[in-house]
Amino acid sequence: MSASTSATTLSEARRRIFESVFPPNISASLPTPLATPSSSFVPPPTPTRHSTRLNPNPPAHGVSLLPSQAAVAQKQTRAWHLATSFLTFPDAPLPGTVREWIEARGPPPKDAIEAIRYLVLNYEDGNVEGRENLQEWYVCEVRRHFLGWVKPACRIPENIEDPPALLERILKMLTAAQSIYLYQFRVYLLPTFGEASPRKTPRRSTKKKPAEKEVDMNDPRIRAFIRSLNSIISFSLPDPAWSELVYTVLVDLCGLAVGINPDGEELESDEETETGDEMTDMDDSIYDKLPDSFLTETDLDGDSILVADDDGDILIPEKLDGIPDFEAYKQQPKGPRAEARRKVLKIWGAMEKLGIGGGGRRGERVFAEIINTLITAYIEQSFAGRWESPSSAGKELEEWVEAVLARLIEDVLFSSAVTDPDGDARLEKLSPRESLRASRESQDKRRRGGMDLDDGAGAGEEEQKRRKEDLESWKKIAIGRLGRLRVKELFDIVVEWPHSLGGVEDLKAYITTPQTRQHLTTTFSAALSQRILHPAAATTDVLTAYIRLVRAFTVLDPRGVILDRVSRQIRRYLRDRDDTIKTVTNGIMSESVIRDKDATPSSEEEDLLSELAKELGKGIPSLMDSSGGLEELDFEDMQWVPDPVDVGPEFRRSKGLDVVGSLLSLFETKDVWVKQMQGVLTTKLLSAPTYEFPTEIRTVELLRLRFGDAWTQAYNVMLKDMQDSKRADALIRESQNMGQYYPEFHSKILSRMYWPQPTESSEKFRPPKPVAIAMKRYEKGFSQLKKKRLLSWDATKGQVDMQVELSDRVLRIDDATPAAAAVIYAFHTEDDPNAPLHDKPVTRTFTQLQESLEMSSPLLTESLRFLVSRTVLVESAPGEYTVLETRPSQSQAAQAAQHQRPAGENIEAIDRQKREEQFLVAQFIVGMLTNGGPMPMERIRGMLAMLVPGGFRWSSEQLLEFLGEMKEQRRIEPGVGGWRVVARQ
Amino acid sequence: MAADSVNKRLQTELMQLMMSSTPGISAFPQEGNLTRWTGTINGPEGTPYEGLTFKLSLEFPSNYPMSPPLVMFTTPMFHPNVDMAGRICLDILKDKWSAVYNVQSILLSLQSLLGEPNNLSPLNGQAAELWDSDPKEYKRLLLLRHRSGDA
């Protein structure tokens, strides 16, 4: 304002003198200029010259110095007409640049200039209405034109084919329109006011530029005009479509700028920071550079456009000089990232100027969304699946936020706030702060009437602090996102354990609030049930997942609360699996298995097995501190902290810290485990042809630690039996001179009460003659050794090391069952050792074998299958087996062996187990119905669940089916009140 | 702890009983309570009780098997050693009880008691009298009483 102050006071004085002679009230009767359409006036014959008070200067047009009131009014009207018709925009789209516009319009007619000048200057002081009205009229005119011609061109189609191009086009158009409108405003409506004082500046020239700048900058009218123009622009952009367009374009560019690469190729990290100066190092105020710096104008390259009127006055579009730092663009480092960054800033700069950028305007919201997307995308790209330990993800992420993201945000959001008079590259004094705060402040400022966003952009302490705060909050957000990503990946992390330690470390930083913990547990539980807790997953897999889960979560949350929460589901599921006990038991007891097959622990099952065995070997870490929950009372524990708020109701701290322990606690009772382990132990002790079981002893010792003496007593007896047998065997063999007889014969003498009940007595058969003799002899020796005690042979157990001599080969089979040995022996034609064996292979039918061996058919089938798999026999016809004297091709045999063996063993075992279970359940049902009367199925199920040892795990359908079977057998029948026992006649 | 050991013992007994399936006797816990069982005895052949089925209730004390269970006939019974409320006079259920007895042995003892009543210490004098003197009348009264349970 300072520049115009003197002029104002001078003209004020002059006006008063003038008005003392000619009362000015005539102007009040003027037709309202706004309402005056240009066409309703007859154009005056000669252009009026209103130099009124500008005494010497105005050119030759002599005008009466003291016009009458009517003349003044007439002049005014004419001037108004001239001015408005000149300033009216043609009903056509605007050209692309200011220069084109100026060229298209040509030099303004003198009279119009004069008219405007008259209107503006004449009423500059005295008649506020007149001046304001012309400006107001101009604003309305701009609005009219913009809505009529520019806005339609900015329509955003539904399907955008090339978003960047569209965005660029719209922005270009809008900027051009804005600069044209503004140019008109400044050149014709404003400078006349500011500089028309002839005393001050007889002739305007480019030399005056700095001063004019000052005027512009501080002129509230320009700001007001821009504000109103911008609000129109902002208003006319369709809402969701525009934001989406900006989002689409910027998200790609920003992504590129911060190093998110959709192609996954590693970009050089050009984290150059000179970005800010591109848009910012020009002038003191953002709006000062409004008309310039659009790329459309760069071709002006610093030249002023001179527009001269016929007085020789040169109207200078002061701000049409080109971008001073255009060169800076070229000096920027190349590379896609820098390129993208420049583009972002370019677009943003344009938006900023149009009033649709930051500072609380709509662009800011879009940009916030973009940043939001970017953080997530970057984290996904950079850290998904990267779980190295020690994890550097958190640190890297923070660095990224600080060095890359924050810079971009600052550059974009605060570019408008930057002042950098020297055009210096470094912009250390950026004033970063949360965009919210920025928008609030800018609103405040606008409310106060100031558009200069940030005059105190210096690196004040306050700013430093804010910057830090911002950075911290961004980092926090980013870490939170990382946490979310890890939560999403958690299942894979668990599966990959222990190679995914880093991922868990990242998570540790995330689960610090109940909300995040809750998020983690729910997400993970969902993943669990989707990925593994379904019938298609093998029990081994579920168990492996569980074991890794326990380990991973123990690292994640050593207190075990989260583990407790997430493992419930999987535990419940494991409880429902039939073979859980078996698999776990095999695993726990597998140490010796692993020892034997050390060379090939390949399959997953074996992995699991060895893992469990190792876990068992680790002992019980929790045993010490979990003795009866007394740990809570440990007043000496200075590390004690209360349990987190999200602990479950039955949470026990010690639970789950130890894998084996948590598996064993799957079931309420220890019976099931003890029983199953006894079975495994039995198999192991009896199937190996030795009396030495160091690993089994070790395992049993470890188990005793867990189960207690009472439960593992049987194990000890079993092991002791082995030792006793060794001694007894040696003694008996010595006393009976068995060493000299064939075959070599050893036995294991079991204390019957402590071993699992031998299976049905039907599983007996007639042993081969030599063996039978040996057995007799052995019995005799035993009864000498232990008076009054009898040996009872269990022929199904044991192992035979035999040689089978065939015509083309000698097979040694060292793991045959006694039954298999007996079967193959039955093919041996002892009576005639020399003869027909080699000529014609011996053939026996199934029935023959069954009769001669007195063997049960399942056992016989099993034995035959074994021999077939060992390429000793071949099933020449159904139910007919022939000795395979000459071997067919190797591969065939191997194929057959592979095909036959595992299936057979499993089916037999499962069948037997199933039959036993069914028998038991049937007994229970009958007992229940006999004593309790008729019951509906659900009640039967409930009772079974309560009473069947080891738990009842049948589904309702299974039970119903079974009840149906029992009905078929005429044991029960449906009736009133449910199932009941069939009354015996 | 006491309840645990009782439950465990009863659990084992139930298992044994189920697996052995002795003909003519049966017992099963009542719903929801392992210490209250229902037993069923078929009348032994060659006695007036032949073809009849009798229900019993067995209630196990918390120190079982140190103390005997309380056993009563729930089916109306006509027997010298059983009173009208179903209470039973049997030495092994009283002073001769031993921890080696179990549900199975109790039921077997009761089954044999049906055929061989101890008429020297009757709870039901009429029954004791008729047992020897008038088997026909005995059977009639027995059936009458048994039927009253069905009604």
Side-chain angles (χ1 to χ4, degrees):
Chain A
M1 279 305 204
S2 58
S4 57
T5 320
S6 58
T8 314
T9 41
L10 273 175
S11 51
E12 173 75 6
R14 225 175 274 126
R15 185 182 56 79
R16 252 183 263 123
I17 296 166
F18 184 81
E19 281 177 3
S20 65
V21 183
F22 307 102
N25 59 348
I26 187 74
S27 65
S29 65
L30 274 173
T32 314
L34 273 176
T36 310
S38 56
S39 58
S40 71
F41 276 85
V42 181
T46 50
T48 41
R49 297 283 181 262
H50 293 287
S51 348
T52 50
R53 346 151 249 162
L54 320 171
N55 39 15
N57 179 33
H61 319 291
V63 180
S64 64
L65 281 170
L66 301 170
S68 68
Q69 283 186 4
V72 170
Q74 194 194 11
K75 264 184 204 164
Q76 236 171 7
T77 317
R78 279 184 194 147
W80 179 263
H81 176 72
L82 273 173
T84 50
S85 54
F86 169 69
L87 288 175
T88 302
F89 289 95
D91 283 347
L94 290 170
T97 63
V98 178
R99 165 168 278 187
E100 280 173 40
W101 163 256
I102 293 165
E103 280 165 2
R105 289 297 293 261
K110 229 177 190 174
D111 52 355
I113 302 284
E114 283 296 316
I116 295 164
R117 190 167 296 167
Y118 167 77
L119 280 175
V120 173
L121 291 185
N122 204 22
Y123 298 98
E124 170 190 1
D125 309 315
N127 190 345
V128 174
E129 197 190 344
R131 192 192 76 222
E132 286 301 322
N133 279 346
L134 190 57
Q135 284 179 359
E136 266 173 35
W137 173 86
Y138 182 72
V139 169
C140 290
E141 169 63 14
V142 164
R143 203 168 286 176
R144 178 193 69 79
H145 185 263
F146 182 84
L147 292 178
W149 294 98
V150 183
K151 188 189 167 197
C154 298
R155 197 169 292 127
I156 298 170
E158 289 214 350
N159 294 315
I160 307 165
E161 275 172 22
D162 185 3
L166 180 66
L167 182 66
E168 197 175 324
R169 190 173 65 77
I170 292 178
L171 281 178
K172 207 165 161 182
M173 205 152 55
L174 290 175
T175 356
Q178 192 194 41
S179 48
I180 289 166
Y181 293 144
L182 193 65
Y183 170 80
Q184 293 285 86
F185 186 73
R186 297 173 84 135
V187 170
Y188 298 111
L189 291 174
L190 209 56
T192 9
F193 161 57
E195 296 164 32
S197 167
R199 264 182 239 131
K200 239 181 101 198
T201 48
R203 240 186 127 69
R204 274 160 255 133
S205 77
T206 48
K207 309 282 185 288
K208 282 278 299 167
K209 205 169 148 192
E212 284 161 357
K213 232 189 226 175
E214 194 115 7
V215 172
D216 285 348
M217 196 170 52
N218 292 316
D219 194 331
R221 286 169 305 171
I222 286 193
R223 286 201 289 260
F225 175 72
I226 291 167
R227 200 155 60 229
S228 120
L229 183 57
N230 284 353
S231 69
I232 271 273
I233 292 173
S234 173
F235 167 75
S236 48
L237 291 168
D239 193 18
W242 170 254
S243 298
E244 277 162 26
L245 176 67
V246 174
Y247 178 83
T248 321
V249 176
L250 281 192
V251 81
D252 288 350
L253 286 175
C254 289
L256 210 54
V258 296
I260 296 168
N261 192 355
D263 307 331
E265 127 202 17
E266 198 58 43
L267 291 171
E268 86 279 21
S269 55
D270 47 353
E271 278 152 20
E272 78 289 340
T273 51
E274 45 274 88
T275 43
D277 44 353
E278 288 151 14
M279 308 308 295
T280 51
D281 58 347
M282 302 171 195
D283 295 301
D284 289 340
S285 155
I286 164 69
Y287 285 103
D288 206 30
K289 61 191 168 166
L290 265 173
D292 62 30
S293 87
F294 302 124
L295 283 209
T296 52
E297 306 291 59
T298 52
D299 52 343
L300 296 179
D301 199 19
D303 291 343
S304 297
I305 293 177
L306 301 182
V307 182
D309 64 11
D310 54 0
D311 289 342
D313 284 0
I314 298 167
L315 305 175
I316 305 139
E318 303 90 336
K319 291 299 159 189
L320 286 185
D321 46 358
I323 301 176
D325 62 330
F326 184 60
E327 289 304 308
Y329 275 92
K330 295 172 184 164
Q331 288 151 14
Q332 299 280 315
K334 299 291 175 210
R337 279 178 76 164
E339 191 60 39
R341 183 173 208 128
R342 273 195 285 280
K343 269 191 198 155
V344 169
L345 290 172
K346 203 173 83 187
I347 293 173
W348 187 261
M351 285 170 62
E352 192 73 70
K353 275 161 217 147
L354 292 169
I356 47 176
R361 297 181 200 87
R362 45 203 296 201
E364 197 172 64
R365 205 170 50 226
V366 177
F367 188 68
E369 270 172 41
I370 290 168
I371 293 304
N372 184 30
T373 315
L374 285 187
I375 293 181
T376 316
Y378 180 78
I379 290 170
E380 292 257 339
Q381 177 197 305
S382 308
F383 302 113
R386 272 184 54 194
W387 304 317
E388 302 97 355
S389 175
S391 168
S392 57
K395 207 163 145 263
E396 271 176 42
L397 188 61
E398 286 190 356
E399 275 166 12
W400 177 77
V401 168
E402 190 167 352
V404 183
L405 190 68
R407 287 232 107 96
L408 182 77
I409 297 175
E410 283 160 15
D411 290 348
V412 169
L413 281 190
F414 303 106
S415 56
S416 56
V418 171
T419 60
D420 192 1
D422 309 326
D424 198 346
R426 292 290 149 179
L427 291 168
E428 294 300 335
K429 42 189 169 180
L430 275 177
S431 56
R433 74 203 93 158
E434 288 178 40
S435 57
L436 179 69
R437 209 179 294 147
S439 76
R440 265 194 211 137
E441 263 174 37
S442 78
Q443 271 167 355
D444 282 354
K445 283 193 177 152
R446 250 180 294 162
R447 222 173 288 132
R448 289 196 304 258
M451 279 310 262
D452 41 346
L453 270 176
D454 196 11
D455 11 38
E461 249 176 62
E462 184 75 357
E463 293 301 322
Q464 291 286 355
K465 214 178 111 199
R466 282 181 184 170
R467 178 189 172 128
K468 240 183 162 166
E469 275 174 27
D470 282 347
L471 212 53
E472 285 312 310
S473 71
W474 290 333
K475 280 179 186 171
K476 230 180 262 167
I477 292 169
I479 293 292
R481 292 288 160 77
L482 180 64
R484 284 187 164 257
L485 170 76
R486 290 289 184 250
V487 168
K488 221 166 67 188
E489 294 178 330
L490 190 52
F491 185 82
D492 297 305
I493 290 179
V494 164
V495 170
E496 286 297 315
W497 193 261
H499 307 294
S500 52
L501 184 61
V504 172
E505 283 168 2
D506 293 341
L507 266 180
K508 264 185 165 176
Y510 174 68
I511 50 158
T512 46
T513 67
Q515 286 77 26
T516 49
R517 293 166 77 98
Q518 177 77 30
H519 173 70
L520 184 139
T521 46
T522 42
T523 313
F524 186 70
S525 300
L528 261 187
S529 46
Q530 193 199 341
R531 302 272 296 265
I532 197 104
L533 300 185
H534 52 74
T539 307
T540 337
D541 294 339
V542 182
L543 278 172
T544 315
Y546 180 69
I547 292 167
R548 301 210 169 135
L549 180 146
V550 169
R551 290 198 189 139
F553 276 75
T554 308
V555 172
L556 179 65
D557 174 30
R559 304 175 58 77
V561 178
I562 296 185
L563 173 64
D564 178 64
R565 294 176 72 87
V566 297
S567 63
R568 287 186 181 196
Q569 200 185 2
I570 193 166
R571 288 170 66 88
R572 199 179 314 131
Y573 180 77
L574 278 174
R575 254 173 252 151
D576 290 346
R577 280 253 167 170
D578 290 344
D579 52 348
T580 302
I581 296 174
K582 202 178 133 219
T583 316
V584 172
T585 308
N586 286 348
I588 290 176
M589 310 275 295
S590 68
E591 207 158 44
S592 55
V593 175
I594 295 311
R595 180 199 59 195
D596 294 344
K597 299 180 181 174
D598 218 1
T600 57
S602 54
S603 78
E604 185 155 341
E605 177 141 15
E606 273 170 35
D607 275 355
L608 170 73
L609 296 182
S610 65
E611 242 174 69
L612 276 176
K614 257 182 256 158
E615 282 292 332
L616 182 71
K618 281 184 193 163
I620 314 166
S622 58
L623 197 68
M624 332 305 180
D625 52 48
S626 71
S627 43
L630 280 175
E631 146 243 26
E632 295 293 346
L633 300 174
D634 181 7
F635 296 114
E636 300 296 313
D637 184 7
M638 288 301 145
Q639 310 295 316
W640 187 89
V641 275
D643 288 331
V645 290
D646 53 346
V647 290
E650 293 150 38
F651 173 70
R652 288 201 312 272
R653 186 188 294 208
S654 58
K655 189 156 78 180
L657 294 184
D658 126 64
V659 172
V660 175
S662 67
L663 280 174
L664 292 183
S665 64
L666 274 180
F667 299 95
E668 293 284 313
T669 56
K670 294 172 182 168
D671 304 18
V672 285
W673 297 110
V674 173
K675 207 177 126 199
Q676 183 74 29
M677 286 174 184
Q678 197 179 22
V680 175
L681 190 61
T682 306
T683 319
K684 278 195 180 164
L685 294 183
L686 296 187
S687 59
T690 171
Y691 296 108
E692 307 291 338
F693 295 97
T695 48
E696 277 71 17
I697 291 173
R698 188 180 121 83
T699 309
V700 166
E701 283 300 311
L702 289 168
L703 286 175
R704 202 171 63 181
L705 284 178
R706 286 180 189 274
F707 291 129
D709 284 336
W711 289 97
T712 49
Q713 191 194 8
Y715 302 165
N716 290 327
V717 174
M718 288 160 80
L719 287 172
K720 191 162 172 294
D721 276 350
M722 289 300 113
Q723 289 167 2
D724 291 349
S725 300
K726 186 185 173 190
R727 253 199 325 275
D729 185 66
L731 284 172
I732 291 167
R733 286 172 60 80
E734 204 186 315
S735 67
Q736 298 296 317
N737 286 325
M738 289 189 58
Q740 46 186 291
Y741 295 101
Y742 177 88
E744 194 179 337
F745 190 88
H746 297 274
S747 79
K748 286 172 181 169
I749 301 156
L750 315 179
S751 310
R752 189 176 154 189
M753 291 297 289
Y754 294 93
W755 291 74
Q757 297 291 314
T759 36
E760 300 298 306
S761 51
S762 65
E763 303 268 4
K764 274 191 175 158
F765 56 89
R766 183 186 295 167
K769 216 170 174 185
V771 179
I773 296 166
M775 281 163 78
K776 278 259 158 50
R777 201 167 283 140
Y778 207 94
E779 269 173 45
K780 207 171 134 203
F782 180 78
S783 50
Q784 279 171 5
L785 187 70
K786 307 245 173 183
K787 301 278 187 229
K788 295 193 178 172
R789 279 165 95 177
L790 266 179
L791 269 183
S792 137
W793 297 96
D794 183 356
T796 52
K797 304 266 171 21
Q799 205 170 20
V800 179
D801 183 355
M802 61 182 184
Q803 272 190 3
V804 186
E805 288 172 26
L806 301 164
S807 56
D808 67 337
R809 66 201 188 278
V810 175
L811 277 178
R812 174 153 183 210
I813 301 173
D814 61 359
D815 57 349
T817 59
V823 169
I824 192 60
Y825 195 81
F827 285 85
H828 182 52
T829 42
E830 206 182 350
D831 317 329
D832 193 4
N834 301 331
L837 257 178
H838 300 277
D839 304 333
K840 193 167 167 266
V842 185
T843 298
R844 300 267 190 279
T845 66
F846 192 86
T847 355
Q848 276 175 340
L849 286 170
Q850 203 174 5
E851 274 167 19
S852 64
L853 291 169
E854 294 168 12
M855 198 184 274
S856 70
S857 54
L859 188 60
L860 180 57
T861 315
E862 204 178 312
S863 305
L864 285 169
R865 211 178 269 146
F866 173 80
L867 291 168
V868 168
S869 77
R870 294 305 171 94
T871 64
V872 179
L873 294 179
V874 72
E875 189 168 7
S876 44
E880 214 176 85
Y881 293 85
T882 310
V883 177
L884 198 63
E885 290 288 354
T886 50
R887 176 165 42 176
S889 78
Q890 191 86 36
S891 60
Q892 251 178 323
Q895 218 175 7
Q898 250 186 1
H899 187 69
Q900 299 233 8
R901 196 177 165 201
E905 283 179 6
N906 272 336
I907 288 170
E908 292 289 322
I910 290 170
D911 274 359
R912 195 178 304 138
Q913 204 185 340
K914 207 169 178 177
R915 273 201 307 271
E916 278 168 21
E917 194 179 6
Q918 284 183 350
F919 173 74
L920 183 69
V921 171
Q923 287 299 109
F924 268 83
I925 291 174
V926 170
M928 184 187 312
L929 298 181
T930 310
N931 295 292
M935 285 184 201
M937 199 260 293
E938 273 316 310
R939 213 170 130 206
I940 294 177
R941 185 149 182 261
M943 295 276 276
L944 288 171
M946 195 177 78
L947 293 169
V948 170
F952 181 71
R953 291 192 292 278
W954 292 14
S955 66
S956 300
E957 291 76 24
Q958 253 178 309
L959 181 62
L960 195 61
E961 195 181 320
F962 187 66
L963 288 174
E965 278 173 34
M966 287 179 71
K967 184 186 158 204
E968 295 289 308
Q969 296 161 12
R970 309 273 315 134
R971 296 180 71 181
I972 57 171
E973 61 189 8
V976 185
W979 295 88
R980 64 176 183 221
V981 182
V982 174
R984 306 232 175 233
Q985 298 306 318
Chain B
M1 286 318 277
D4 273 0
S5 66
V6 174
N7 278 350
K8 214 170 140 193
R9 156 92 184 212
L10 291 174
Q11 188 74 260
T12 318
E13 283 196 24
L14 176 64
M15 191 67 183
Q16 273 175 8
L17 201 61
M18 290 296 113
M19 296 312 283
S20 65
S21 71
T22 320
I25 63 165
S26 163
F28 206 77
Q30 287 169 17
E31 191 164 15
N33 191 350
L34 205 56
T35 60
R36 293 178 76 95
W37 290 29
T38 305
T40 309
I41 301 178
N42 291 337
E45 286 171 28
T47 68
Y49 301 95
E50 186 176 348
L52 300 179
T53 304
F54 299 94
K55 296 252 181 211
L56 301 115
S57 76
L58 295 91
E59 203 175 325
F60 297 91
S62 61
N63 60 348
Y64 181 81
M66 296 308 136
S67 306
L70 178 62
V71 185
M72 286 166 76
F73 277 99
T74 48
T75 313
M77 190 58 175
F78 187 76
H79 188 276
N81 302 109
V82 181
D83 73 4
M84 300 306 271
R87 285 186 285 261
I88 304 163
C89 178
L90 181 64
D91 51 358
I92 66 155
L93 290 178
K94 300 277 185 323
D95 48 336
K96 292 281 173 57
W97 170 257
S98 149
V100 297
Y101 293 128
N102 56 27
V103 177
Q104 193 176 8
S105 52
I106 291 170
L107 293 178
L108 282 172
S109 305
L110 285 174
Q111 198 181 26
S112 64
L113 181 70
L114 293 186
E116 301 156 14
N118 180 358
N119 287 330
L120 297 179
S121 60
L123 280 176
N124 185 335
Q126 189 191 18
E129 213 179 294
L130 290 174
W131 178 264
D132 289 321
S133 56
D134 191 350
K136 232 179 196 168
E137 178 65 3
Y138 187 96
K139 177 93 181 178
R140 190 185 70 83
L141 288 173
L142 169 63
L143 287 179
L144 200 67
R145 183 133 175 76
H146 190 260
R147 229 171 278 133
S148 74
D150 292 346

